[in-house]
Amino acid sequence: GITPITQKRLLYGLEAVFILRSIPLEGDYAGSAHFFEDQAEVVMLAQGLGEEQQWAGLILRNVREQAHYRVGGNIGIFQYRTRAGVVVPYAFRTGESTLGFIPVRGAPSRATMAAAHSFLRRYANGKVLFVTDANETRVVDERTLLMSASRLLFA
């Protein structure tokens, strides 16, 4: 097997050549989540990924680039996970604001709504954006918005 130190060095190397992106975890866990950086790499290397993981990765790759490369933006990114199984795949923090992104197919399910509520309880200054493949944009409540991926990424 590969030692943990060698594994970390390999991950850092893959990040350096833009194959993988490590995102720190917050919530009840420590460590990192890993996403493929490029869509072509996902097609070639991640054939075992489920449809939901692929959808989340697609949104992350496009949103992260816009946020990360914005001049003057000091934006931190993390993934929120709890022991109860709640996952907000990625969230961005700027100063006192925190925005969690939850990719969904169609409308948010009870599970994704519960994930949003958990995130909002944890981050008093937080907001949640459900990113959907449906052609719909609407306010869910005062701290939660549902927006089509096409509007978010291309409008």
Side-chain angles (χ1 to χ4, degrees):
I2 299 174
T3 67
I5 292 172
T6 302
Q7 289 175 5
K8 282 187 178 183
R9 288 181 180 155
L10 283 171
L11 284 173
Y12 293 143
L14 292 172
E15 280 185 337
V17 294
F18 304 105
I19 292 176
L20 285 181
R21 171 70 50 189
S22 292
I23 298 173
L25 298 177
E26 289 192 12
D28 296 335
Y29 294 97
S32 299
H34 305 285
F35 287 87
F36 284 102
E37 190 76 48
D38 183 85
Q39 188 63 30
E41 292 161 353
V42 171
V43 171
M44 292 301 295
L45 301 173
Q47 304 210 357
L49 287 179
E51 198 172 299
E52 296 302 316
Q53 288 176 306
Q54 290 180 35
W55 177 239
L58 175 70
I59 301 302
L60 171 66
R61 281 185 294 283
N62 286 281
V63 170
R64 191 200 64 77
E65 283 181 9
Q66 293 178 30
H68 185 71
Y69 295 112
R70 185 165 289 172
V71 177
N74 186 13
I75 298 173
I77 184 171
F78 64 94
Q79 184 176 94
Y80 173 73
R81 288 189 193 176
T82 70
R83 287 186 191 91
V86 169
V87 176
V88 175
Y90 38 92
F92 294 97
R93 181 180 296 119
T94 60
E96 296 297 317
S97 299
T98 306
L99 178 62
F101 287 79
I102 303 177
V104 296
R105 297 292 192 158
S109 66
R110 291 177 71 174
T112 56
M113 289 298 292
H117 290 131
S118 173
F119 181 85
L120 294 172
R121 279 192 304 274
R122 178 75 169 238
Y123 300 98
N125 63 346
K127 295 186 179 184
V128 169
L129 179 62
F130 288 110
V131 183
T132 181
D133 58 348
N135 189 21
E136 179 182 12
T137 299
R138 66 178 164 88
V139 174
V140 176
D141 62 42
E142 69 271 0
R143 295 174 62 197
T144 310
L145 179 69
L146 174 74
M147 180 179 283
S148 70
S150 59
R151 183 169 183 185
L152 174 67
L153 300 175
F154 307 116

